[in-house]
Amino acid sequence: MKKFFLTALLGASLIANSSFAMTKPVKLVDQGSFFAGGTVIQSDGNYNPTDPKDFSGQTLHGDHAYVFYQIPVKAKKYPLVFLHGSGQSGKTWETTPDGRDGFQNIFLERGYATYIIDQPRRGRAGRSTLPENISARPDDQLWYYNFRIGIYPDVYDGVNFPRDKSSADQFLRQMTPNTGAFNQKIIADAMVAVFEKSGEGILITHSAGGGPGWETAIRSDKVKAVISLEPGTFPFPEGEVPPAEETTSPFPARGQSVSRADFLKLIKIPIVVYFGDNIPSGDKPVANWGQDNWRVRLNLALKWAQVAKKYGGDVEIVYLPDIGITGSTHFMMSDLNNLEIADVIETWLKSKKLI
Amino acid sequence: MKKFFLTALLGASLIANSSFAMTKPVKLVDQGSFFAGGTVIQSDGNYNPTDPKDFSGQTLHGDHAYVFYQIPVKAKKYPLVFLHGSGQSGKTWETTPDGRDGFQNIFLERGYATYIIDQPRRGRAGRSTLPENISARPDDQLWYYNFRIGIYPDVYDGVNFPRDKSSADQFLRQMTPNTGAFNQKIIADAMVAVFEKSGEGILITHSAGGGPGWETAIRSDKVKAVISLEPGTFPFPEGEVPPAEETTSPFPARGQSVSRADFLKLIKIPIVVYFGDNIPSGDKPVANWGQDNWRVRLNLALKWAQVAKKYGGDVEIVYLPDIGITGSTHFMMSDLNNLEIADVIETWLKSKKLI
């Protein structure tokens, strides 16, 4: 907290100049980046190098993920693999909008190797095999509301989001468009390939990263646990998908249907799911659609946990206010109390003997 | 070289698992990311939070750069600020396609702070104030040819590009589309803001990053030198822009016109420009348009240096084969001999007392 107030007082220009923004120095034995997964498409005809206007027979390498990894000295057993959510890139996990350590630095400082992903058709993994129209329609306020920060430019009472204008500005610039349609299978394909490179690890997903994250855990035996922050959806065994609840949100919360065998594959690893604050309870839609969007998702999570437990799964749904942590937004990894959230996650990892 | 052959022999899966891909461990005192520059647009009308289909009055924060910075212990005086070229992102400077250290790691290991940019409307800085249609037209071979690697899938004799298929695959996946039209002024605006955060530093540009790079150096007194790798264009004082040479390339090499005052601002700092191999000389177009594209740019560079020297500029154009370095592609920062290129750059920095 102290750091945040300092930043707010002294202005944003100091953020990058601070020589000790990291809580403590980190000795890296490796860092780098690579692309994982993806495919190649080719136009008809034969490649003709002599005519730059003739694109016959040329290829496009696309639909891969971009991965930036860092390995500190004496790294813990399992690396953490971070998959962002809707409209975001790997930036989600980096420096917070008010210039504090994000999960990338926090966990690196605690001795974890980190793998930060840009999913296929997003960010530095922008090369898509499908065309896309980007509208540039202003929609900051839609996301601000849906991310449960408040009603722009206001914030909800007690919410763990910085109050200064520069931080809100940085936060909104994290949005970056799809450069091709969202495709869960393509993202999961790439994530399976990421785990082939990282080796056995812990998958941490956020929001719309939840769906591809579950599919990745089903398909890769390298995923040893999933930590999911407000995932958008959940997979259920065929025939057990609950009906979608009515909501005032434009984004319905539908469960996904997977084979029972796949469902059992998923729930044989430990799974924990966290939801933040300002999520109404009950089965009645509320007028605030940005909050109602998460009411139906939290309800879906609870139904999913029931089914998972019925089949013997070691799964946990944590509504943070229930454990005394209030004010969390949809972006708990960059909230003012993100160190506290990291503690909660690390305590869970320890309890599952994953570190 | 040894590392590359090892990688090729053992397969790509080892790249990220290697615990010592970095030549030596690096102790970081800080790392993080932020957005620099950019603007805000707003739709007409008043924001209505209750209707998610009503986008009236909403804003879009766009046209910023994305910056990832790292500061090693006892960092040298000036950070290095890296601006990529056409169709690329900050990935240009990271791990090479065959899994060796790129300039990001090489210079970090040598004690430089690094700032790696995604220019506005590219990569993680994808949020644009203008709409864009992304065609997904296959054009890998066009770039491969224009980057002077060879005629796909072949490589030119002796070229410093890895021969294995996996490396070519990784290289082509570095391409990532514009999410809004290229705009030199917007990129320079953002780069000036980057230097406000980094403080005084050395600007290293590549290819299409050259144009915005020169403009940045003109507008920011924080830029203490420019190192430009095969820039696409050069600024000349008004009335002294040479006519564009005839070329078989579809990308003409036109000089840019700036005021004499601005030109003098630029050339008061030391500047060095490097060009790789397989660039024909002379004033006659050659049939290989991928090579001819760089013939006219090298010629433009030489004309620019003459003008700069006439006005007292400390500028140097280096055609690498002239100093005994052969086989360089357009991507000398990730070529097989990129350590040698880094040495050349560091020797220049030393000679200018910039380290």
Side-chain angles (χ1 to χ4, degrees):
Chain A
M1 285 295 279
K2 197 181 275 173
K3 217 169 192 178
F4 159 63
F5 286 121
L6 188 73
T7 301
L9 284 171
L10 299 184
S13 66
L14 277 185
I15 293 173
N17 286 328
S18 159
S19 296
F20 283 93
M22 282 180 122
T23 308
K24 59 175 184 179
V26 170
K27 196 172 178 185
L28 293 178
V29 292
D30 197 9
Q31 80 169 4
S33 62
F34 58 88
F35 299 101
T39 189
V40 181
I41 57 171
Q42 186 167 21
S43 296
D44 292 338
N46 293 314
Y47 169 47
N48 171 16
T50 62
D51 181 1
K53 290 187 177 65
D54 180 0
F55 289 87
S56 306
Q58 296 204 33
T59 61
L60 180 150
H61 287 63
D63 295 352
H64 43 263
Y66 162 84
V67 187
F68 183 78
Y69 70 93
Q70 296 186 298
I71 302 178
V73 279
K74 295 181 192 158
K76 293 187 195 292
K77 184 176 175 191
Y78 292 127
L80 306 181
V81 179
F82 292 91
L83 178 59
H84 60 77
S86 181
Q88 296 279 309
S89 70
K91 171 63 181 154
T92 291
W93 312 101
E94 298 177 351
T95 303
T96 66
D98 54 327
R100 292 169 297 108
D101 277 350
F103 272 16
Q104 178 183 48
N105 281 4
I106 290 172
F107 283 102
L108 200 63
E109 289 166 27
R110 294 181 184 192
Y112 296 83
T114 62
Y115 286 70
I116 308 283
I117 315 299
D118 285 1
Q119 74 184 25
R121 306 176 177 176
R122 190 78 59 73
R124 288 176 170 178
R127 190 81 152 164
S128 162
T129 57
L130 290 182
E132 180 74 10
N133 291 338
I134 298 175
S135 74
R137 177 181 65 187
D139 60 3
D140 287 339
Q141 283 67 23
L142 173 101
W143 295 114
Y144 190 92
Y145 191 60
N146 191 41
F147 295 158
R148 301 195 322 283
I149 297 164
I151 301 181
Y152 189 88
D154 297 328
V155 296
Y156 293 135
D157 282 349
V159 86
N160 300 322
F161 190 81
R163 288 354 185 215
D164 63 302
K165 216 175 157 178
S166 156
S167 296
D169 181 277
Q170 287 281 316
F171 177 78
L172 291 168
R173 294 185 187 283
Q174 290 188 190
M175 299 300 289
T176 193
N178 280 334
T179 53
F182 178 92
N183 182 311
Q184 177 170 309
K185 184 182 174 300
I186 284 174
I187 299 170
D189 285 347
M191 291 301 293
V192 169
V194 170
F195 275 92
E196 286 304 305
K197 295 254 196 160
S198 68
E200 293 183 343
I202 314 290
L203 176 57
I204 303 186
T205 65
H206 180 227
S207 197
W214 306 127
E215 187 173 334
T216 304
I218 289 168
R219 290 170 49 195
S220 171
D221 61 5
K222 301 273 194 306
V223 180
K224 306 315 282 182
V226 180
I227 296 163
S228 193
L229 313 180
E230 301 202 355
T233 186
F234 290 87
F236 291 80
E238 244 174 331
E240 300 190 48
V241 185
E245 284 189 47
E246 199 192 330
T247 175
T248 52
S249 165
F251 310 113
R254 294 193 188 92
Q256 299 185 332
S257 176
V258 297
S259 72
R260 185 183 291 195
D262 279 352
F263 186 79
L264 293 175
K265 266 189 224 166
L266 173 62
I267 62 162
K268 78 177 183 205
I269 57 171
I271 294 172
V272 64
V273 178
Y274 297 101
F275 282 87
D277 203 348
N278 292 306
I279 302 179
S281 59
D283 57 4
K284 295 275 175 296
V286 302
N288 182 319
W289 70 260
Q291 295 187 353
D292 206 54
N293 183 67
W294 301 103
R295 180 188 62 81
V296 290
R297 279 172 173 75
L298 178 50
N299 285 348
L300 186 67
L302 295 168
K303 289 171 194 166
W304 174 82
Q306 276 190 328
V307 178
K309 282 176 182 164
K310 186 179 80 181
Y311 286 101
D314 173 13
V315 308
E316 206 176 330
I317 310 294
V318 181
Y319 178 53
L320 289 172
D322 287 344
I323 60 167
I325 299 176
T326 58
S328 294
T329 73
H330 183 54
F331 279 71
M332 58 187 80
M333 75 293 285
S334 55
D335 276 346
L336 294 171
N337 64 332
N338 64 347
L339 278 167
E340 188 179 22
I341 305 296
D343 287 344
V344 167
I345 287 173
E346 212 174 8
T347 300
W348 181 84
L349 283 169
K350 268 183 201 144
S351 76
K352 299 300 166 191
K353 301 190 176 10
L354 292 164
I355 44 176
Chain B
M1 285 296 279
K2 198 183 275 176
K3 218 168 192 177
F4 160 64
F5 286 120
L6 188 74
T7 302
L9 284 170
L10 300 185
S13 65
L14 277 185
I15 292 172
N17 286 328
S18 159
S19 296
F20 283 93
M22 282 179 119
T23 309
K24 58 175 185 179
V26 170
K27 196 172 177 184
L28 293 178
V29 293
D30 197 10
Q31 80 169 4
S33 63
F34 59 87
F35 298 102
T39 188
V40 182
I41 57 170
Q42 185 167 21
S43 295
D44 292 338
N46 292 316
Y47 169 47
N48 171 16
T50 62
D51 181 1
K53 290 187 178 65
D54 181 0
F55 290 87
S56 306
Q58 296 204 31
T59 61
L60 180 150
H61 287 63
D63 296 351
H64 44 263
Y66 162 83
V67 188
F68 183 78
Y69 71 92
Q70 296 186 297
I71 302 177
V73 279
K74 296 179 191 156
K76 292 185 195 293
K77 185 176 176 191
Y78 292 127
L80 306 181
V81 179
F82 292 93
L83 178 59
H84 60 77
S86 180
Q88 297 278 310
S89 70
K91 171 62 181 154
T92 291
W93 312 100
E94 298 178 350
T95 304
T96 65
D98 54 328
R100 293 170 296 107
D101 277 350
F103 272 15
Q104 179 184 48
N105 281 4
I106 290 172
F107 284 101
L108 200 62
E109 289 166 27
R110 294 181 184 190
Y112 296 84
T114 62
Y115 287 69
I116 308 283
I117 315 299
D118 286 0
Q119 74 185 24
R121 306 177 177 176
R122 190 78 59 76
R124 288 176 170 178
R127 190 81 151 164
S128 161
T129 57
L130 289 182
E132 179 74 11
N133 291 338
I134 299 175
S135 74
R137 178 181 65 186
D139 60 3
D140 287 339
Q141 283 67 23
L142 173 101
W143 295 113
Y144 190 93
Y145 191 61
N146 191 40
F147 295 159
R148 301 195 322 283
I149 298 164
I151 301 180
Y152 189 87
D154 297 328
V155 296
Y156 293 135
D157 283 349
V159 86
N160 299 323
F161 190 81
R163 284 4 182 208
D164 63 302
K165 218 175 152 176
S166 156
S167 296
D169 181 276
Q170 287 282 316
F171 177 78
L172 291 168
R173 294 184 188 284
Q174 290 188 190
M175 298 302 288
T176 193
N178 280 334
T179 54
F182 178 92
N183 182 312
Q184 176 170 310
K185 183 181 174 298
I186 285 175
I187 299 170
D189 286 346
M191 291 301 295
V192 168
V194 170
F195 275 92
E196 286 305 306
K197 295 254 196 162
S198 68
E200 294 184 342
I202 314 290
L203 175 58
I204 303 187
T205 65
H206 180 227
S207 198
W214 305 128
E215 187 172 334
T216 304
I218 289 168
R219 289 170 49 195
S220 172
D221 61 6
K222 301 274 194 306
V223 180
K224 306 315 281 183
V226 180
I227 296 163
S228 193
L229 313 180
E230 301 202 355
T233 187
F234 291 86
F236 291 80
E238 243 174 334
E240 300 190 49
V241 185
E245 284 189 47
E246 198 193 332
T247 175
T248 53
S249 166
F251 311 113
R254 294 192 189 93
Q256 299 184 333
S257 177
V258 297
S259 71
R260 183 183 292 195
D262 279 352
F263 186 79
L264 293 176
K265 266 190 224 164
L266 173 63
I267 62 162
K268 79 177 181 205
I269 57 171
I271 294 171
V272 65
V273 178
Y274 297 101
F275 281 87
D277 202 349
N278 292 305
I279 302 180
S281 59
D283 57 3
K284 294 275 173 297
V286 302
N288 182 320
W289 69 261
Q291 295 187 353
D292 206 54
N293 183 68
W294 301 103
R295 180 187 62 82
V296 290
R297 280 171 173 76
L298 178 49
N299 285 348
L300 186 67
L302 295 168
K303 289 172 194 166
W304 174 82
Q306 276 190 328
V307 178
K309 281 175 182 165
K310 185 180 81 182
Y311 286 102
D314 173 13
V315 308
E316 205 175 331
I317 310 294
V318 181
Y319 178 53
L320 288 172
D322 287 345
I323 59 168
I325 298 176
T326 58
S328 294
T329 73
H330 184 52
F331 279 71
M332 58 187 80
M333 75 293 285
S334 55
D335 276 345
L336 294 171
N337 64 332
N338 64 347
L339 278 167
E340 188 179 23
I341 306 296
D343 287 345
V344 167
I345 287 173
E346 210 174 9
T347 301
W348 181 83
L349 284 169
K350 268 181 202 145
S351 76
K352 299 300 165 191
K353 301 191 177 13
L354 292 164
I355 44 177

PDB file of all heavy atoms in Angstrom, chain A residues 89-110:
ATOM      1  N   SER A  89      -3.572  -9.157 -22.859  1.00  0.00           N
ATOM      2  CA  SER A  89      -2.391  -9.906 -23.294  1.00  0.00           C
ATOM      3  C   SER A  89      -1.631 -10.326 -22.039  1.00  0.00           C
ATOM      4  O   SER A  89      -2.125 -10.147 -20.919  1.00  0.00           O
ATOM      5  CB  SER A  89      -1.506  -9.021 -24.169  1.00  0.00           C
ATOM      6  OG  SER A  89      -0.900  -8.017 -23.370  1.00  0.00           O
ATOM      7  N   GLY A  90      -0.424 -10.809 -22.212  1.00  0.00           N
ATOM      8  CA  GLY A  90       0.409 -11.149 -21.065  1.00  0.00           C
ATOM      9  C   GLY A  90       0.628  -9.977 -20.111  1.00  0.00           C
ATOM     10  O   GLY A  90       0.981 -10.172 -18.946  1.00  0.00           O
ATOM     11  N   LYS A  91       0.399  -8.772 -20.583  1.00  0.00           N
ATOM     12  CA  LYS A  91       0.535  -7.558 -19.769  1.00  0.00           C
ATOM     13  C   LYS A  91      -0.281  -7.646 -18.473  1.00  0.00           C
ATOM     14  O   LYS A  91       0.086  -7.073 -17.446  1.00  0.00           O
ATOM     15  CB  LYS A  91       0.123  -6.351 -20.604  1.00  0.00           C
ATOM     16  CG  LYS A  91      -0.014  -5.024 -19.857  1.00  0.00           C
ATOM     17  CD  LYS A  91       1.279  -4.522 -19.241  1.00  0.00           C
ATOM     18  CE  LYS A  91       1.057  -3.208 -18.487  1.00  0.00           C
ATOM     19  NZ  LYS A  91       2.041  -2.994 -17.405  1.00  0.00           N
ATOM     20  N   THR A  92      -1.399  -8.378 -18.533  1.00  0.00           N
ATOM     21  CA  THR A  92      -2.246  -8.597 -17.347  1.00  0.00           C
ATOM     22  C   THR A  92      -1.436  -8.922 -16.096  1.00  0.00           C
ATOM     23  O   THR A  92      -1.779  -8.505 -14.992  1.00  0.00           O
ATOM     24  CB  THR A  92      -3.203  -9.789 -17.614  1.00  0.00           C
ATOM     25  OG1 THR A  92      -4.164  -9.407 -18.591  1.00  0.00           O
ATOM     26  CG2 THR A  92      -3.926 -10.227 -16.347  1.00  0.00           C
ATOM     27  N   TRP A  93      -0.359  -9.714 -16.286  1.00  0.00           N
ATOM     28  CA  TRP A  93       0.387 -10.271 -15.160  1.00  0.00           C
ATOM     29  C   TRP A  93       1.621  -9.453 -14.818  1.00  0.00           C
ATOM     30  O   TRP A  93       2.340  -9.791 -13.867  1.00  0.00           O
ATOM     31  CB  TRP A  93       0.803 -11.713 -15.488  1.00  0.00           C
ATOM     32  CG  TRP A  93      -0.327 -12.528 -16.023  1.00  0.00           C
ATOM     33  CD1 TRP A  93      -0.563 -12.832 -17.343  1.00  0.00           C
ATOM     34  CD2 TRP A  93      -1.398 -13.130 -15.277  1.00  0.00           C
ATOM     35  NE1 TRP A  93      -1.703 -13.591 -17.457  1.00  0.00           N
ATOM     36  CE2 TRP A  93      -2.233 -13.787 -16.199  1.00  0.00           C
ATOM     37  CE3 TRP A  93      -1.722 -13.177 -13.906  1.00  0.00           C
ATOM     38  CZ2 TRP A  93      -3.376 -14.494 -15.812  1.00  0.00           C
ATOM     39  CZ3 TRP A  93      -2.854 -13.873 -13.525  1.00  0.00           C
ATOM     40  CH2 TRP A  93      -3.668 -14.511 -14.470  1.00  0.00           C
ATOM     41  N   GLU A  94       1.914  -8.433 -15.604  1.00  0.00           N
ATOM     42  CA  GLU A  94       3.127  -7.643 -15.395  1.00  0.00           C
ATOM     43  C   GLU A  94       2.830  -6.488 -14.429  1.00  0.00           C
ATOM     44  O   GLU A  94       1.868  -6.546 -13.660  1.00  0.00           O
ATOM     45  CB  GLU A  94       3.660  -7.166 -16.753  1.00  0.00           C
ATOM     46  CG  GLU A  94       4.057  -8.341 -17.663  1.00  0.00           C
ATOM     47  CD  GLU A  94       4.535  -7.919 -19.044  1.00  0.00           C
ATOM     48  OE1 GLU A  94       4.411  -6.713 -19.372  1.00  0.00           O
ATOM     49  OE2 GLU A  94       5.013  -8.777 -19.793  1.00  0.00           O
ATOM     50  N   THR A  95       3.686  -5.477 -14.475  1.00  0.00           N
ATOM     51  CA  THR A  95       3.528  -4.302 -13.618  1.00  0.00           C
ATOM     52  C   THR A  95       2.063  -3.853 -13.550  1.00  0.00           C
ATOM     53  O   THR A  95       1.384  -3.783 -14.568  1.00  0.00           O
ATOM     54  CB  THR A  95       4.386  -3.152 -14.181  1.00  0.00           C
ATOM     55  OG1 THR A  95       5.724  -3.610 -14.268  1.00  0.00           O
ATOM     56  CG2 THR A  95       4.314  -1.933 -13.287  1.00  0.00           C
ATOM     57  N   THR A  96       1.607  -3.515 -12.347  1.00  0.00           N
ATOM     58  CA  THR A  96       0.228  -3.073 -12.193  1.00  0.00           C
ATOM     59  C   THR A  96       0.060  -1.665 -12.769  1.00  0.00           C
ATOM     60  O   THR A  96       1.043  -0.946 -12.972  1.00  0.00           O
ATOM     61  CB  THR A  96      -0.163  -3.062 -10.707  1.00  0.00           C
ATOM     62  OG1 THR A  96       0.627  -2.061 -10.044  1.00  0.00           O
ATOM     63  CG2 THR A  96       0.088  -4.416 -10.057  1.00  0.00           C
ATOM     64  N   PRO A  97      -1.182  -1.253 -13.011  1.00  0.00           N
ATOM     65  CA  PRO A  97      -1.414   0.081 -13.582  1.00  0.00           C
ATOM     66  C   PRO A  97      -0.811   1.210 -12.740  1.00  0.00           C
ATOM     67  O   PRO A  97      -0.485   2.266 -13.261  1.00  0.00           O
ATOM     68  CB  PRO A  97      -2.939   0.180 -13.635  1.00  0.00           C
ATOM     69  CG  PRO A  97      -3.395  -1.237 -13.776  1.00  0.00           C
ATOM     70  CD  PRO A  97      -2.436  -2.051 -12.948  1.00  0.00           C
ATOM     71  N   ASP A  98      -0.662   0.995 -11.435  1.00  0.00           N
ATOM     72  CA  ASP A  98      -0.062   2.031 -10.584  1.00  0.00           C
ATOM     73  C   ASP A  98       1.404   1.744 -10.291  1.00  0.00           C
ATOM     74  O   ASP A  98       1.988   2.325  -9.371  1.00  0.00           O
ATOM     75  CB  ASP A  98      -0.863   2.192  -9.285  1.00  0.00           C
ATOM     76  CG  ASP A  98      -1.032   0.875  -8.544  1.00  0.00           C
ATOM     77  OD1 ASP A  98      -1.126  -0.176  -9.215  1.00  0.00           O
ATOM     78  OD2 ASP A  98      -1.051   0.878  -7.308  1.00  0.00           O
ATOM     79  N   GLY A  99       2.024   0.859 -11.083  1.00  0.00           N
ATOM     80  CA  GLY A  99       3.480   0.725 -11.043  1.00  0.00           C
ATOM     81  C   GLY A  99       4.048  -0.193  -9.972  1.00  0.00           C
ATOM     82  O   GLY A  99       5.240  -0.138  -9.687  1.00  0.00           O
ATOM     83  N   ARG A 100       3.208  -1.047  -9.401  1.00  0.00           N
ATOM     84  CA  ARG A 100       3.727  -2.028  -8.435  1.00  0.00           C
ATOM     85  C   ARG A 100       4.014  -3.357  -9.141  1.00  0.00           C
ATOM     86  O   ARG A 100       3.638  -3.566 -10.293  1.00  0.00           O
ATOM     87  CB  ARG A 100       2.696  -2.256  -7.323  1.00  0.00           C
ATOM     88  CG  ARG A 100       2.468  -1.048  -6.399  1.00  0.00           C
ATOM     89  CD  ARG A 100       1.247  -1.256  -5.492  1.00  0.00           C
ATOM     90  NE  ARG A 100       0.035  -1.375  -6.281  1.00  0.00           N
ATOM     91  CZ  ARG A 100      -0.649  -2.499  -6.463  1.00  0.00           C
ATOM     92  NH1 ARG A 100      -0.260  -3.617  -5.875  1.00  0.00           N
ATOM     93  NH2 ARG A 100      -1.716  -2.510  -7.231  1.00  0.00           N
ATOM     94  N   ASP A 101       4.641  -4.266  -8.419  1.00  0.00           N
ATOM     95  CA  ASP A 101       4.861  -5.610  -8.959  1.00  0.00           C
ATOM     96  C   ASP A 101       3.531  -6.292  -9.256  1.00  0.00           C
ATOM     97  O   ASP A 101       2.631  -6.317  -8.405  1.00  0.00           O
ATOM     98  CB  ASP A 101       5.600  -6.483  -7.927  1.00  0.00           C
ATOM     99  CG  ASP A 101       7.108  -6.281  -7.959  1.00  0.00           C
ATOM    100  OD1 ASP A 101       7.611  -5.621  -8.882  1.00  0.00           O
ATOM    101  OD2 ASP A 101       7.778  -6.806  -7.053  1.00  0.00           O
ATOM    102  N   GLY A 102       3.410  -6.865 -10.438  1.00  0.00           N
ATOM    103  CA  GLY A 102       2.296  -7.752 -10.744  1.00  0.00           C
ATOM    104  C   GLY A 102       2.690  -9.183 -10.392  1.00  0.00           C
ATOM    105  O   GLY A 102       3.763  -9.427  -9.831  1.00  0.00           O
ATOM    106  N   PHE A 103       1.825 -10.132 -10.759  1.00  0.00           N
ATOM    107  CA  PHE A 103       2.099 -11.542 -10.412  1.00  0.00           C
ATOM    108  C   PHE A 103       3.400 -12.036 -11.039  1.00  0.00           C
ATOM    109  O   PHE A 103       4.091 -12.883 -10.489  1.00  0.00           O
ATOM    110  CB  PHE A 103       0.924 -12.428 -10.834  1.00  0.00           C
ATOM    111  CG  PHE A 103      -0.146 -12.554  -9.777  1.00  0.00           C
ATOM    112  CD1 PHE A 103      -0.202 -11.678  -8.696  1.00  0.00           C
ATOM    113  CD2 PHE A 103      -1.101 -13.560  -9.854  1.00  0.00           C
ATOM    114  CE1 PHE A 103      -1.184 -11.803  -7.716  1.00  0.00           C
ATOM    115  CE2 PHE A 103      -2.074 -13.698  -8.876  1.00  0.00           C
ATOM    116  CZ  PHE A 103      -2.125 -12.817  -7.808  1.00  0.00           C
ATOM    117  N   GLN A 104       3.755 -11.532 -12.243  1.00  0.00           N
ATOM    118  CA  GLN A 104       5.013 -11.958 -12.866  1.00  0.00           C
ATOM    119  C   GLN A 104       6.182 -11.722 -11.916  1.00  0.00           C
ATOM    120  O   GLN A 104       6.962 -12.637 -11.636  1.00  0.00           O
ATOM    121  CB  GLN A 104       5.246 -11.166 -14.160  1.00  0.00           C
ATOM    122  CG  GLN A 104       6.569 -11.506 -14.855  1.00  0.00           C
ATOM    123  CD  GLN A 104       6.810 -10.644 -16.090  1.00  0.00           C
ATOM    124  OE1 GLN A 104       6.672  -9.423 -16.053  1.00  0.00           O
ATOM    125  NE2 GLN A 104       7.140 -11.276 -17.192  1.00  0.00           N
ATOM    126  N   ASN A 105       6.301 -10.507 -11.387  1.00  0.00           N
ATOM    127  CA  ASN A 105       7.421 -10.180 -10.500  1.00  0.00           C
ATOM    128  C   ASN A 105       7.253 -10.794  -9.110  1.00  0.00           C
ATOM    129  O   ASN A 105       8.223 -11.275  -8.514  1.00  0.00           O
ATOM    130  CB  ASN A 105       7.574  -8.662 -10.365  1.00  0.00           C
ATOM    131  CG  ASN A 105       8.288  -8.046 -11.555  1.00  0.00           C
ATOM    132  OD1 ASN A 105       8.606  -8.740 -12.521  1.00  0.00           O
ATOM    133  ND2 ASN A 105       8.529  -6.757 -11.504  1.00  0.00           N
ATOM    134  N   ILE A 106       6.041 -10.748  -8.588  1.00  0.00           N
ATOM    135  CA  ILE A 106       5.810 -11.266  -7.225  1.00  0.00           C
ATOM    136  C   ILE A 106       6.249 -12.733  -7.143  1.00  0.00           C
ATOM    137  O   ILE A 106       6.983 -13.135  -6.235  1.00  0.00           O
ATOM    138  CB  ILE A 106       4.324 -11.126  -6.824  1.00  0.00           C
ATOM    139  CG1 ILE A 106       3.967  -9.653  -6.605  1.00  0.00           C
ATOM    140  CG2 ILE A 106       4.015 -11.952  -5.565  1.00  0.00           C
ATOM    141  CD1 ILE A 106       2.471  -9.383  -6.400  1.00  0.00           C
ATOM    142  N   PHE A 107       5.814 -13.537  -8.116  1.00  0.00           N
ATOM    143  CA  PHE A 107       6.131 -14.971  -8.041  1.00  0.00           C
ATOM    144  C   PHE A 107       7.584 -15.249  -8.434  1.00  0.00           C
ATOM    145  O   PHE A 107       8.202 -16.176  -7.921  1.00  0.00           O
ATOM    146  CB  PHE A 107       5.125 -15.787  -8.850  1.00  0.00           C
ATOM    147  CG  PHE A 107       3.810 -15.933  -8.125  1.00  0.00           C
ATOM    148  CD1 PHE A 107       2.713 -15.158  -8.463  1.00  0.00           C
ATOM    149  CD2 PHE A 107       3.683 -16.829  -7.073  1.00  0.00           C
ATOM    150  CE1 PHE A 107       1.505 -15.270  -7.770  1.00  0.00           C
ATOM    151  CE2 PHE A 107       2.489 -16.957  -6.370  1.00  0.00           C
ATOM    152  CZ  PHE A 107       1.396 -16.171  -6.722  1.00  0.00           C
ATOM    153  N   LEU A 108       8.118 -14.419  -9.315  1.00  0.00           N
ATOM    154  CA  LEU A 108       9.544 -14.539  -9.649  1.00  0.00           C
ATOM    155  C   LEU A 108      10.390 -14.267  -8.401  1.00  0.00           C
ATOM    156  O   LEU A 108      11.335 -15.007  -8.098  1.00  0.00           O
ATOM    157  CB  LEU A 108       9.868 -13.526 -10.748  1.00  0.00           C
ATOM    158  CG  LEU A 108      11.120 -13.761 -11.579  1.00  0.00           C
ATOM    159  CD1 LEU A 108      11.045 -15.056 -12.366  1.00  0.00           C
ATOM    160  CD2 LEU A 108      11.309 -12.578 -12.543  1.00  0.00           C
ATOM    161  N   GLU A 109      10.027 -13.228  -7.674  1.00  0.00           N
ATOM    162  CA  GLU A 109      10.754 -12.885  -6.438  1.00  0.00           C
ATOM    163  C   GLU A 109      10.633 -13.987  -5.395  1.00  0.00           C
ATOM    164  O   GLU A 109      11.513 -14.143  -4.544  1.00  0.00           O
ATOM    165  CB  GLU A 109      10.215 -11.563  -5.860  1.00  0.00           C
ATOM    166  CG  GLU A 109      10.612 -10.347  -6.688  1.00  0.00           C
ATOM    167  CD  GLU A 109       9.817  -9.096  -6.331  1.00  0.00           C
ATOM    168  OE1 GLU A 109       9.351  -8.978  -5.193  1.00  0.00           O
ATOM    169  OE2 GLU A 109       9.649  -8.240  -7.233  1.00  0.00           O
ATOM    170  N   ARG A 110       9.541 -14.753  -5.473  1.00  0.00           N
ATOM    171  CA  ARG A 110       9.342 -15.846  -4.519  1.00  0.00           C
ATOM    172  C   ARG A 110       9.953 -17.169  -5.015  1.00  0.00           C
ATOM    173  O   ARG A 110       9.748 -18.222  -4.422  1.00  0.00           O
ATOM    174  CB  ARG A 110       7.851 -16.020  -4.225  1.00  0.00           C
ATOM    175  CG  ARG A 110       7.246 -14.838  -3.498  1.00  0.00           C
ATOM    176  CD  ARG A 110       5.770 -15.028  -3.191  1.00  0.00           C
ATOM    177  NE  ARG A 110       5.195 -13.827  -2.585  1.00  0.00           N
ATOM    178  CZ  ARG A 110       3.993 -13.783  -2.016  1.00  0.00           C
ATOM    179  NH1 ARG A 110       3.237 -14.870  -1.974  1.00  0.00           N
ATOM    180  NH2 ARG A 110       3.545 -12.646  -1.500  1.00  0.00           N
TER     181      ARG A 110
END
